[in-house]
Amino acid sequence: MNSSTSSSKTGGAGMLAGPEWKVLLSLALLLLGTEVVLRLNERRLSVDVDHIRSAPRLAGEITQDAKALPGVLKILFMGNSSIRRGIDAKVLEEEFRVKYGRAVKSYFFYPDGGNIVAWRWAWRRYFAAPGCRPDLVVICGGASHFDDGKLDPRLLASYYVSAEDSWDCAWRQLSGAEERLEFFAAEASLSYASRKRVARRVMDVLMPHNREVLFEMVSQAEKNAAAHTKAPRTQAPTSEALRALLQDLRGKGLKAAIVAVPNLNGYEVPPQRVRTIAEAGAAFIDLRTVPGIDAAHYFDKAHLDAAGAVIFTRALCAALQEAAH
């Protein structure tokens, strides 16, 4: 009887093991399939993803032009949506040609939500190759874009940090085991790194106006929080990521300029940051206020309309002409 009972229990365990393994195998195949589909179609997730993934092509173009266009001033702009909308490339090139008698070719890397953390690591991943030598690297931002801070570990791993820099970034840029685990998981799995973007695309289909509603909700929440939070900042923001990027550029013998872009609300630039820029041998271009640009030239607090972009671009050209010498 004991033998029979034991055999019965063993058989029951074996019957359970079969379905369990089938479930696990199905999940593994589902994850693998998702990974393959995303790797083949990731660029369709958004215009921003396509732009970031085009960075190696952009770096290759700069490398080719360094040899093919020796007399042309080649300017790489790094920033975010504030320059995607705020700099008119045609006006910039025409202004240089007519006003300064110089041929210019501009290149742009401006991921949505880009800040100094993203630009610092993206430079190393995409543009630090020996042959990629723009004549001038112009890094544009406003308000807090140059403050040392954090970026989503999944975005860092998937879009900005190279495999060679992954350990250095994980220990230097991130804090805590959870953030580092997220970072390495996103580095290994595109489906993990992209799950928020995928979720947004699904919601766009199910609820076409959900982004506008969420934007209004977040904006109102921020206004309410600001109204009840009057405590002043007790410590000035630091600029170590900016310092590291400028040191990389200087080490390659490249000229660099930091541009403070206009914002409807205005903002301060810490004196320590200006000193950091000067110590690195870079130019600081203060265009927070540009003559001719007023509130009517903004379609929101941070982005210029087309007319404002023309005015800003022309003002920028005059400053870049000096920085390029």
Side-chain angles (χ1 to χ4, degrees):
M1 180 179 295
N2 290 340
S3 175
S4 173
T5 303
S6 175
S7 175
S8 174
K9 289 181 179 179
T10 304
M15 290 176 64
L16 289 174
E20 288 172 356
W21 279 109
K22 288 179 181 179
V23 170
L24 291 174
L25 180 60
S26 298
L27 288 174
L29 291 174
L30 177 62
L31 290 174
L32 179 61
T34 302
E35 193 74 19
V36 171
V37 169
L38 272 176
R39 289 187 182 276
L40 293 175
N41 298 279
E42 184 201 16
R43 289 184 149 189
R44 299 181 182 179
L45 286 176
S46 72
V47 173
D48 186 50
V49 171
D50 185 59
H51 173 71
I52 295 171
R53 293 306 189 200
S54 297
R57 178 197 56 76
L58 181 64
E61 185 179 349
I62 297 171
T63 300
Q64 291 177 355
D65 291 346
K67 297 179 180 179
L69 303 174
V72 175
L73 178 63
K74 294 166 282 295
I75 306 176
L76 171 62
F77 292 93
M78 301 185 77
N80 48 39
S81 58
S82 63
I83 65 166
R84 184 179 68 238
R85 296 177 180 274
I87 296 179
D88 188 317
K90 291 183 178 179
V91 170
L92 182 138
E93 293 171 11
E94 181 71 8
E95 185 82 355
F96 263 97
R97 184 184 66 80
V98 172
K99 198 167 185 178
Y100 304 110
R102 261 185 120 166
V104 169
K105 185 169 183 181
S106 52
Y107 314 84
F108 293 90
F109 181 73
Y110 38 50
D112 285 345
N115 60 22
I116 190 58
V117 175
W119 305 326
R120 182 260 175 108
W121 295 105
W123 167 264
R124 294 178 60 84
R125 177 171 180 171
Y126 300 119
F127 304 104
C132 183
R133 297 189 61 82
D135 298 308
L136 182 63
V137 179
V138 181
I139 308 163
C140 306
S144 61
H145 295 137
F146 293 104
D147 295 351
D148 286 329
K150 292 186 177 181
L151 195 66
D152 189 322
R154 290 163 297 186
L155 297 180
L156 269 176
S158 185
Y159 299 133
Y160 302 120
V161 181
S162 67
E164 291 80 6
D165 284 333
S166 60
W167 281 100
D168 183 36
C169 176
W171 295 104
R172 184 191 303 269
Q173 194 72 58
L174 305 176
S175 58
E178 184 176 350
E179 285 190 356
R180 291 176 181 133
L181 284 173
E182 277 196 301
F183 177 87
F184 288 116
E187 189 176 47
S189 170
L190 186 58
S191 57
Y192 179 80
S194 303
R195 69 184 194 273
K196 281 190 175 181
R197 290 187 185 273
V198 173
R200 283 199 296 267
R201 288 300 300 271
V202 172
M203 288 298 294
D204 286 344
V205 174
L206 298 178
M207 300 174 62
H209 301 290
N210 77 94
R211 296 200 193 195
E212 291 85 349
V213 173
L214 288 174
F215 179 80
E216 290 298 328
M217 291 172 63
V218 171
S219 297
Q220 188 59 49
E222 289 176 346
K223 289 179 182 177
N224 293 339
H228 293 86
T229 305
K230 298 182 180 179
R233 178 180 269 172
T234 58
Q235 186 176 357
T238 58
S239 306
E240 292 309 308
L242 174 61
R243 187 191 307 275
L245 175 54
L246 292 177
Q247 286 175 346
D248 281 351
L249 295 172
R250 192 174 191 178
K252 286 195 66 175
L254 298 176
K255 293 181 179 180
I258 305 300
V259 179
V261 302
N263 186 285
L264 182 59
N265 290 338
Y267 57 94
E268 298 297 321
V269 177
Q272 170 269 338
R273 181 162 302 151
V274 179
R275 290 195 297 271
T276 296
I277 295 167
E279 289 167 0
F284 175 60
I285 300 174
D286 189 355
L287 292 179
R288 290 173 293 171
T289 301
V290 177
I293 292 180
D294 55 33
H297 290 102
Y298 292 87
F299 68 84
D300 63 20
K301 293 179 181 180
H303 300 97
L304 295 168
D305 63 12
V310 171
I311 299 171
F312 173 70
T313 301
R314 287 178 175 155
L316 180 60
C317 286
L320 294 182
Q321 169 67 4
E322 294 184 16
H325 282 316

Short mmCIF file of all heavy atoms in Angstrom, two decimals, residues 153 157 166-187:
data_model
loop_
_atom_site.label_atom_id
_atom_site.label_comp_id
_atom_site.label_asym_id
_atom_site.label_seq_id
_atom_site.Cartn_x
_atom_site.Cartn_y
_atom_site.Cartn_z
N PRO A 153 16.49 54.86 -16.30
CA PRO A 153 17.55 53.88 -16.60
C PRO A 153 17.29 53.10 -17.88
O PRO A 153 18.23 52.72 -18.59
CB PRO A 153 17.52 52.95 -15.39
CG PRO A 153 16.94 53.77 -14.29
CD PRO A 153 15.95 54.69 -14.95
N ALA A 157 19.95 52.98 -21.03
CA ALA A 157 20.52 51.73 -21.52
C ALA A 157 20.19 51.49 -22.98
O ALA A 157 21.05 51.05 -23.76
CB ALA A 157 20.01 50.56 -20.68
N SER A 166 28.63 50.84 -20.29
CA SER A 166 27.48 50.44 -19.47
C SER A 166 27.83 50.32 -17.99
O SER A 166 27.09 50.82 -17.12
CB SER A 166 26.87 49.14 -19.99
OG SER A 166 27.81 48.10 -19.97
N TRP A 167 28.94 49.67 -17.67
CA TRP A 167 29.29 49.51 -16.26
C TRP A 167 29.64 50.85 -15.64
O TRP A 167 29.25 51.16 -14.51
CB TRP A 167 30.46 48.53 -16.11
CG TRP A 167 30.02 47.10 -16.20
CD1 TRP A 167 30.11 46.28 -17.28
CD2 TRP A 167 29.37 46.35 -15.17
NE1 TRP A 167 29.56 45.04 -16.99
CE2 TRP A 167 29.10 45.06 -15.70
CE3 TRP A 167 28.99 46.63 -13.86
CZ2 TRP A 167 28.48 44.06 -14.96
CZ3 TRP A 167 28.37 45.63 -13.12
CH2 TRP A 167 28.12 44.36 -13.66
N ASP A 168 30.39 51.66 -16.35
CA ASP A 168 30.77 52.97 -15.84
C ASP A 168 29.52 53.81 -15.57
O ASP A 168 29.40 54.45 -14.52
CB ASP A 168 31.68 53.68 -16.85
CG ASP A 168 32.18 55.03 -16.33
OD1 ASP A 168 32.44 55.14 -15.12
OD2 ASP A 168 32.31 55.96 -17.14
N CYS A 169 28.58 53.81 -16.51
CA CYS A 169 27.36 54.59 -16.34
C CYS A 169 26.53 54.04 -15.18
O CYS A 169 26.00 54.81 -14.37
CB CYS A 169 26.53 54.55 -17.63
SG CYS A 169 24.94 55.38 -17.50
N ALA A 170 26.40 52.73 -15.10
CA ALA A 170 25.56 52.13 -14.06
C ALA A 170 26.04 52.51 -12.66
O ALA A 170 25.23 52.79 -11.77
CB ALA A 170 25.54 50.61 -14.22
N TRP A 171 27.34 52.55 -12.47
CA TRP A 171 27.87 52.85 -11.14
C TRP A 171 28.08 54.33 -10.91
O TRP A 171 28.02 54.81 -9.78
CB TRP A 171 29.17 52.08 -10.91
CG TRP A 171 28.93 50.61 -10.89
CD1 TRP A 171 29.20 49.71 -11.88
CD2 TRP A 171 28.29 49.87 -9.85
NE1 TRP A 171 28.77 48.46 -11.52
CE2 TRP A 171 28.21 48.52 -10.28
CE3 TRP A 171 27.77 50.20 -8.59
CZ2 TRP A 171 27.64 47.52 -9.50
CZ3 TRP A 171 27.20 49.20 -7.82
CH2 TRP A 171 27.15 47.88 -8.27
N ARG A 172 28.30 55.08 -11.97
CA ARG A 172 28.53 56.52 -11.82
C ARG A 172 27.22 57.31 -11.87
O ARG A 172 27.05 58.28 -11.13
CB ARG A 172 29.46 57.01 -12.94
CG ARG A 172 29.85 58.48 -12.83
CD ARG A 172 30.54 58.94 -14.11
NE ARG A 172 31.70 58.14 -14.41
CZ ARG A 172 32.94 58.43 -14.00
NH1 ARG A 172 33.14 59.51 -13.28
NH2 ARG A 172 33.95 57.65 -14.33
N GLN A 173 26.30 56.92 -12.75
CA GLN A 173 25.11 57.71 -13.01
C GLN A 173 23.90 57.27 -12.19
O GLN A 173 23.03 58.08 -11.88
CB GLN A 173 24.76 57.63 -14.50
CG GLN A 173 23.77 58.65 -14.99
CD GLN A 173 24.37 60.04 -15.05
OE1 GLN A 173 25.36 60.28 -15.73
NE2 GLN A 173 23.77 60.96 -14.32
N LEU A 174 23.84 55.99 -11.86
CA LEU A 174 22.65 55.45 -11.21
C LEU A 174 22.92 55.20 -9.73
O LEU A 174 24.06 55.04 -9.31
CB LEU A 174 22.22 54.16 -11.89
CG LEU A 174 21.98 54.26 -13.40
CD1 LEU A 174 21.64 52.90 -13.98
CD2 LEU A 174 20.86 55.25 -13.69
N SER A 175 21.84 55.14 -8.96
CA SER A 175 21.97 54.89 -7.54
C SER A 175 21.02 53.78 -7.13
O SER A 175 19.84 53.79 -7.50
CB SER A 175 21.67 56.16 -6.73
OG SER A 175 20.37 56.63 -7.00
N GLY A 176 21.53 52.82 -6.39
CA GLY A 176 20.67 51.75 -5.88
C GLY A 176 20.58 50.56 -6.81
O GLY A 176 20.73 50.66 -8.02
N ALA A 177 20.31 49.42 -6.20
CA ALA A 177 20.25 48.16 -6.96
C ALA A 177 19.09 48.13 -7.94
O ALA A 177 19.21 47.59 -9.04
CB ALA A 177 20.13 46.99 -5.98
N GLU A 178 17.96 48.74 -7.57
CA GLU A 178 16.78 48.70 -8.44
C GLU A 178 17.03 49.41 -9.77
O GLU A 178 16.71 48.88 -10.83
CB GLU A 178 15.58 49.32 -7.73
CG GLU A 178 14.29 49.23 -8.54
CD GLU A 178 13.09 49.77 -7.79
OE1 GLU A 178 13.22 50.04 -6.57
OE2 GLU A 178 12.03 49.92 -8.41
N GLU A 179 17.62 50.61 -9.70
CA GLU A 179 17.90 51.35 -10.93
C GLU A 179 18.90 50.59 -11.80
O GLU A 179 18.77 50.56 -13.03
CB GLU A 179 18.45 52.74 -10.60
CG GLU A 179 17.41 53.72 -10.12
CD GLU A 179 17.95 55.14 -10.04
OE1 GLU A 179 19.16 55.34 -10.30
OE2 GLU A 179 17.16 56.06 -9.75
N ARG A 180 19.91 50.01 -11.19
CA ARG A 180 20.92 49.29 -11.96
C ARG A 180 20.35 48.03 -12.59
O ARG A 180 20.70 47.68 -13.73
CB ARG A 180 22.13 48.97 -11.07
CG ARG A 180 22.90 50.23 -10.68
CD ARG A 180 24.02 49.99 -9.72
NE ARG A 180 24.67 51.25 -9.40
CZ ARG A 180 24.97 51.66 -8.18
NH1 ARG A 180 24.68 50.88 -7.14
NH2 ARG A 180 25.57 52.82 -7.98
N LEU A 181 19.46 47.35 -11.87
CA LEU A 181 18.81 46.17 -12.45
C LEU A 181 17.95 46.57 -13.64
O LEU A 181 17.94 45.87 -14.67
CB LEU A 181 17.97 45.46 -11.39
CG LEU A 181 18.73 44.63 -10.35
CD1 LEU A 181 17.78 44.14 -9.26
CD2 LEU A 181 19.43 43.44 -11.02
N GLU A 182 17.22 47.67 -13.51
CA GLU A 182 16.42 48.17 -14.63
C GLU A 182 17.31 48.49 -15.83
O GLU A 182 16.97 48.19 -16.97
CB GLU A 182 15.66 49.43 -14.21
CG GLU A 182 14.38 49.18 -13.48
CD GLU A 182 13.50 50.41 -13.44
OE1 GLU A 182 13.97 51.43 -12.90
OE2 GLU A 182 12.37 50.36 -13.95
N PHE A 183 18.44 49.11 -15.56
CA PHE A 183 19.38 49.49 -16.61
C PHE A 183 19.86 48.27 -17.38
O PHE A 183 19.79 48.23 -18.61
CB PHE A 183 20.56 50.24 -15.98
CG PHE A 183 21.64 50.63 -16.95
CD1 PHE A 183 21.56 51.82 -17.64
CD2 PHE A 183 22.73 49.80 -17.18
CE1 PHE A 183 22.55 52.20 -18.54
CE2 PHE A 183 23.73 50.17 -18.07
CZ PHE A 183 23.64 51.37 -18.75
N PHE A 184 20.34 47.26 -16.67
CA PHE A 184 20.89 46.08 -17.35
C PHE A 184 19.80 45.24 -18.01
O PHE A 184 20.03 44.62 -19.05
CB PHE A 184 21.71 45.25 -16.37
CG PHE A 184 23.02 45.89 -16.00
CD1 PHE A 184 23.28 46.29 -14.70
CD2 PHE A 184 23.99 46.12 -16.96
CE1 PHE A 184 24.48 46.90 -14.36
CE2 PHE A 184 25.19 46.73 -16.63
CZ PHE A 184 25.44 47.12 -15.33
N ALA A 185 18.61 45.24 -17.42
CA ALA A 185 17.49 44.53 -18.05
C ALA A 185 17.12 45.19 -19.37
O ALA A 185 16.87 44.51 -20.38
CB ALA A 185 16.29 44.49 -17.11
N ALA A 186 17.10 46.53 -19.39
CA ALA A 186 16.79 47.26 -20.62
C ALA A 186 17.88 47.10 -21.65
O ALA A 186 17.62 47.10 -22.86
CB ALA A 186 16.56 48.73 -20.31
N GLU A 187 19.11 46.98 -21.19
CA GLU A 187 20.23 46.77 -22.12
C GLU A 187 20.11 45.42 -22.81
O GLU A 187 20.43 45.28 -23.99
CB GLU A 187 21.55 46.87 -21.36
CG GLU A 187 22.78 46.87 -22.25
CD GLU A 187 24.05 47.06 -21.45
OE1 GLU A 187 24.21 46.38 -20.42
OE2 GLU A 187 24.88 47.88 -21.86
#
